[in-house]
Amino acid sequence: MSEYVKVAEIFGQDVFNDSVMEERLPKKVYKELKKTIEEGKELSLEIADVVAHEMKEWAIEKGATHYTHWFQPLTGLTAEKHDSFITAPKENGKVLMSFSGKELIKGEPDASSFPSGGLRATFEARGYTAWDCTSPAFVRHDAAGAILCIPTAFCSYTGEALDQKTPLLRSMEAINKEALRLLRLLGNTTSKKVTPSVGAEQEYFLVDKAKYLQRKDLIYTGRTLFGAMPPKGQEMDDHYFGVVRQRIAGYMKEVNEELWKLGVTAKTQHNEAAPAQHELAPIYAPVNIAVDHNQIIMRVLKKVASRHGMKCLLHEKPFQGINGSGKHNNWSLTTDDGINLLEPGKTPHENIQFLLILTCILKAVDIHADLLRESAADVGNDQRLGGNEAPPAIISVFLGEQLQDVLEQLITTGTATRSKKGGKLETGVRTLPDLVKDATDRNRTSPFAFTGNKFEFRMVGSRDSVAACNIVLNTITAEVFQEVNERLEKAEDRDLEIHDIIKEFAAEHQRIVFNGNGYSKEWEEEAKRRGLSNLPTMVDTIPALTTPKAVKLFENFKVFNRAELESRAEIQYESYAKAVNIEARTMINMATKQIIPAVIRYTTVLADSIHSVGSIEGMDVSVQTEILKKCTDYLREAKEALNDLTEVTDIAAEMEDGRDRAVYYQKTVFPAMNRLRRPVDELEILVDKKMWPMPSYGDLIFEV
């Protein structure tokens, strides 16, 4: 790898993007493919054959020997099956390399082998992957060689979505239709398409690979199930935005180069708040491409870490006592001719289009706060949300002083006549320029914050797909747009109706707006008084998927049908139970085979010391005796907690009903895990480090 990287030369070099297609495809074929991408026009098999041939030739030039339909099943990961380009040998023993339009358009993975929530039984195996031509194919280079990856949707034989991409594309169609309809009613006759744009910031931890391999909890679950806090954590605030260590800098450089080649616009990198924690952020992209890119980012982060003798941790809470990791989903709506519908302008009180769209989103989030919360639900997020590191589990919207003032004017007087200005920030140093100050501050405690010309949804877990939250955001916004469209189309005085809608939505849904400290106990109490839902755990959120309100919403826009929603709820319950079961079994295994034997060895050494030293007349063994007593007390507590955890875990495993099992894991097994952790973490502080069977927190987060 060269020392100096020319980004413009390598960017997108492994992507079958628009410039490659325009260069390699016949003009007629390129034109037809563009219609499919931009207008949703059906692609003929004849055209697909030409595209497939050129895609194959391009990929082979990149060294590819295989292709794969790259899809996103409901495992939270991506999936792929590799097929080589070779065909049956000819009579002379030579093979041809071919790739047909049929192979490009459709694949057939085993649908019953992926989570389906009952939509597919074991004997009903057929499922299909379908090419998503709106997200460009790419060649990935790794130990398997070069693989042509074709982004696809994944559906069952009977047509239900078994993935994240299918409902995401459906939601994009829904919001495009209703947003365009609204723009036409507002007088816009030029925009032809409205697309949700997303920039997903990705947080992650890096630890030394050798130390990682000594921690069975990290290997099996992605997080530490035991671990005492080291003398230093993140309290000095010296890691956030600090100088990047050279080992990490080398890693980041390689990550960037890999991502740039794959067309991912990796833009920002820095140290995060916790030791060993970092962040990477790309530039905005259409939401379906942004979702694909985030999956690529997570894979590259893990792959490159191994090359540098490290492991990348994407769990939401890998270490207790320091900040966990999430994703910030920055969401906006943009037209094909460059209009950001969430741009307030310099005088937002006069921007009627912006105020209408803003209040529509307020209503959407207020009505469907439970769905938005569920879209970020994850077993790892249960330990992260609500701490002084991530948004609380209560959904609220931060607007800032400027927009809050505009809304208050609308609510109290019916009209808004002014907007607060930002002014200048005087530094007090003559050699420094005065800075233009934004009209409002930021609020890192808000789960859904307006940040200038976009909304930042801060709840998503670091290893989760951002597809789920964007499916919800797109669909709930489309629903309110649809309501407004129907009202405006019937209105005799459209301008007056717009004014009334803005005032009505602002007044009726102001309860969702909160600009204060979301971490405070006072806010939790205030939110309860406002009637806002508080769903602290993943299990609490899952029922939101199948309420009559949710079924009506998603079926109206054909994003999900009832069966798909019920299947996703079943999958969520099952995945929660399985994840906690693995964690509990791992704790039992570690305590039984590693921790308790280590403590027994140490207490034996102490007992021998007391016996041998105490046999010498006049020698004081009070220190050894005190430590031995503490160790044996904690050891007894640990063994009792281990017995309890084993018992309740066995009970949970025998339960048949998915929801009941998940609830039991949440309310009974998880607390039992915490009861075992407490004495073990105390023992780690007491036992000789040379005898402790695994690397400590200090070893993991400060020695990388």
Side-chain angles (χ1 to χ4, degrees):
M1 189 177 297
S2 61
E3 184 179 353
Y4 299 104
V5 179
K6 296 182 178 179
V7 180
E9 291 183 6
I10 68 169
F11 187 83
Q13 70 179 33
D14 290 331
V15 184
F16 195 72
N17 53 29
D18 186 72
S19 62
V20 174
M21 291 190 293
E22 186 175 19
E23 178 185 340
R24 301 188 72 115
L25 296 175
K27 287 185 178 180
K28 179 183 176 182
V29 172
Y30 173 73
K31 187 176 180 181
E32 290 298 311
L33 180 59
K34 288 286 285 184
K35 281 186 179 180
T36 299
I37 294 171
E38 295 174 359
E39 302 172 18
K41 182 179 180 292
E42 189 173 344
L43 193 67
S44 69
L45 190 59
E46 179 184 1
I47 296 294
D49 278 331
V50 178
V51 175
H53 174 76
E54 288 303 323
M55 189 183 290
K56 176 211 64 173
E57 292 296 306
W58 169 83
I60 289 174
E61 291 171 14
K62 299 285 180 184
T65 56
H66 291 69
Y67 69 91
T68 182
H69 275 198
W70 183 74
F71 60 103
Q72 299 171 37
L74 299 175
T75 58
L77 306 169
T78 56
E80 53 195 58
K81 172 175 69 75
H82 301 170
D83 289 294
S84 71
F85 290 118
I86 66 171
T87 57
K90 298 166 65 177
E91 291 182 4
N92 62 4
K94 294 184 178 293
V95 295
L96 294 174
M97 304 286 272
S98 69
F99 184 48
S100 68
K102 184 178 179 181
E103 291 170 316
L104 169 63
I105 290 173
K106 188 180 80 172
E108 193 174 324
D110 185 343
S112 66
S113 297
F114 293 99
S116 71
L119 290 176
R120 296 269 81 190
T122 302
F123 65 91
E124 297 173 321
R126 196 179 295 277
Y128 297 115
T129 49
W131 177 36
D132 173 19
C133 61
T134 64
S135 184
F138 57 93
V139 169
R140 189 185 69 225
H141 299 270
D142 55 26
I147 309 293
L148 172 63
C149 298
I150 302 160
T152 55
F154 178 41
C155 298
S156 75
Y157 179 72
T158 47
E160 291 94 355
L162 297 176
D163 67 338
Q164 299 281 21
K165 181 178 283 284
T166 303
L168 179 65
L169 294 173
R170 293 171 180 170
S171 74
M172 292 175 68
E173 290 184 8
I175 198 167
N176 173 56
K177 176 185 175 183
E178 297 303 330
L180 270 183
R181 186 178 165 196
L182 180 60
L183 289 179
R184 294 290 181 266
L185 290 167
L186 294 173
N188 181 327
T189 60
T190 55
S191 299
K192 297 178 181 178
K193 189 175 184 180
V194 176
T195 303
S197 295
V198 165
E201 304 168 33
Q202 177 71 55
E203 295 175 342
Y204 60 96
F205 278 86
L206 291 171
V207 298
D208 185 81
K209 184 177 182 180
K211 294 182 176 70
Y212 167 93
L213 292 174
Q214 297 176 59
R215 298 274 321 204
K216 295 299 183 185
D217 47 4
L218 284 178
I219 292 171
Y220 293 140
T221 74
R223 76 177 180 108
T224 55
L225 301 171
F226 301 105
M229 276 298 293
K232 179 186 177 184
Q234 65 186 61
E235 63 272 20
M236 296 301 294
D237 300 321
D238 54 349
H239 190 259
Y240 187 59
F241 276 29
V243 176
V244 178
R245 301 175 191 171
Q246 289 300 290
R247 184 182 186 186
I248 307 303
Y251 163 81
M252 289 178 168
K253 177 176 182 290
E254 190 171 341
V255 165
N256 285 332
E257 290 176 21
E258 289 229 4
L259 292 176
W260 290 334
K261 289 175 183 177
L262 292 170
V264 179
T265 53
K267 174 75 173 177
T268 302
Q269 61 188 33
H270 61 83
N271 290 348
E272 253 301 331
Q277 188 185 33
H278 311 279
E279 182 178 294
L280 182 152
I283 298 173
Y284 285 76
V287 63
N288 63 313
I289 296 176
V291 168
D292 287 354
H293 281 182
N294 187 250
Q295 293 290 341
I296 292 171
I297 286 170
M298 289 190 287
R299 180 186 174 96
V300 170
L301 287 172
K302 284 181 169 289
K303 181 178 70 170
V304 175
S306 290
R307 293 182 195 156
H308 288 255
M310 296 184 290
K311 280 288 183 178
C312 175
L313 307 180
L314 294 177
H315 193 284
E316 287 74 24
K317 193 72 173 177
F319 304 103
Q320 185 172 283
I322 63 173
N323 279 14
S325 296
K327 267 194 262 273
H328 297 171
N329 185 83
N330 295 283
W331 178 84
S332 64
L333 296 171
T334 55
T335 67
D336 59 314
D337 49 355
I339 302 170
N340 182 346
L341 301 185
L342 291 177
E343 176 60 62
K346 294 182 178 179
T347 53
H349 68 284
E350 298 175 338
N351 191 337
I352 300 302
Q353 176 177 290
F354 168 75
L355 290 175
L356 180 60
I357 290 171
L358 176 70
T359 52
C360 283
I361 294 171
L362 288 183
K363 177 172 182 175
V365 173
D366 187 19
I367 291 173
H368 296 291
D370 57 343
L371 274 178
L372 194 56
R373 168 68 182 93
E374 193 283 329
S375 73
D378 178 88
V379 63
N381 239 0
D382 284 1
Q383 289 110 57
R384 171 179 163 264
L385 296 178
N388 290 344
E389 57 177 279
I394 304 165
I395 295 288
S396 65
V397 179
F398 169 79
L399 293 180
E401 293 178 10
Q402 184 187 57
L403 294 183
Q404 177 68 33
D405 179 61
V406 171
L407 288 188
E408 287 176 357
Q409 292 176 60
L410 289 168
I411 293 167
T412 55
T413 68
T415 58
T417 58
R418 66 185 185 278
S419 296
K420 288 186 176 182
K421 302 297 181 183
K424 288 187 177 182
L425 179 67
E426 297 181 1
T427 62
V429 180
R430 284 184 298 171
T431 56
L432 295 179
D434 290 337
L435 304 175
V436 177
K437 186 169 68 172
D438 291 328
T440 188
D441 203 349
R442 295 182 63 189
N443 188 329
R444 66 186 299 271
T445 72
S446 174
F448 196 68
F450 186 76
T451 54
N453 59 4
K454 64 186 183 299
F455 277 102
E456 182 180 29
F457 185 51
R458 299 168 56 89
M459 265 192 179
V460 185
S462 56
R463 58 184 164 167
D464 284 348
S465 170
V466 291
C469 68
N470 287 298
I471 292 167
V472 171
L473 283 171
N474 295 345
T475 312
I476 64 177
T477 304
E479 180 186 53
V480 183
F481 283 176
Q482 184 183 68
E483 176 194 343
V484 170
N485 290 334
E486 290 171 356
R487 288 177 60 171
L488 293 182
E489 287 166 354
K490 295 174 184 176
E492 294 183 5
D493 186 332
R494 193 170 291 170
D495 290 340
L496 180 60
E497 184 69 8
I498 290 171
H499 173 273
D500 290 346
I501 289 171
I502 293 172
K503 181 183 177 182
E504 174 190 325
F505 286 3
E508 292 183 359
H509 302 285
Q510 60 179 315
R511 69 170 188 165
I512 200 72
V513 177
F514 178 65
N515 289 341
N517 180 10
Y519 293 163
S520 68
K521 186 69 176 176
E522 290 77 13
W523 164 234
E524 188 174 330
E525 296 166 355
E526 169 66 19
K528 187 176 181 179
R529 285 195 294 271
R530 294 187 185 191
L532 302 181
S533 61
N534 185 0
L535 304 172
T537 74
M538 177 180 175
V539 174
D540 296 321
T541 70
I542 298 171
L545 285 171
T546 53
T547 62
K549 172 172 63 83
V551 174
K552 180 183 177 183
L553 165 76
F554 288 120
E555 286 193 335
N556 179 38
F557 291 101
K558 297 180 172 58
V559 174
F560 292 118
N561 59 36
R562 181 184 293 274
E564 289 171 326
L565 289 168
E566 290 174 346
S567 74
R568 275 164 164 73
E570 184 174 330
I571 290 168
Q572 292 280 59
Y573 285 127
E574 184 179 5
S575 65
Y576 182 91
K578 286 180 175 178
V580 178
N581 181 65
I582 291 170
E583 291 186 348
R585 298 288 182 192
T586 300
M587 290 188 83
I588 293 167
N589 183 280
M590 293 174 69
T592 303
K593 295 184 177 180
Q594 293 181 287
I595 294 165
I596 289 178
V599 177
I600 290 173
R601 285 194 297 272
Y602 180 60
T603 54
T604 301
V605 170
L606 283 174
D608 290 343
S609 172
I610 293 169
H611 182 266
S612 59
V613 176
S615 65
I616 303 172
E617 185 177 352
M619 297 302 292
D620 183 4
V621 292
S622 60
V623 173
Q624 295 96 313
T625 304
E626 181 184 352
I627 296 174
L628 178 60
K629 185 179 185 310
K630 283 185 177 180
C631 285
T632 53
D633 286 346
Y634 284 130
L635 181 60
R636 181 176 60 254
E637 184 182 341
K639 185 62 173 71
E640 290 171 355
L642 174 61
N643 292 341
D644 290 344
L645 178 59
T646 302
E647 180 182 348
V648 297
T649 303
D650 288 341
I651 292 171
E654 295 299 319
M655 299 177 72
E656 293 184 0
D657 181 80
R659 184 180 185 278
D660 289 347
R661 185 170 59 247
V663 170
Y664 188 82
Y665 272 108
Q666 182 235 319
K667 293 188 177 299
T668 305
V669 176
F670 192 77
M673 291 166 57
N674 289 334
R675 287 195 296 273
L676 174 56
R677 176 169 188 155
R678 196 196 77 82
V680 169
D681 288 356
E682 294 290 345
L683 283 166
E684 182 182 349
I685 297 171
L686 293 170
V687 172
D688 186 341
K689 180 173 175 59
K690 293 179 181 178
M691 290 189 175
W692 196 251
M694 64 198 73
S696 68
Y697 271 22
D699 299 332
L700 289 165
I701 64 177
F702 288 108
E703 297 181 13
V704 63

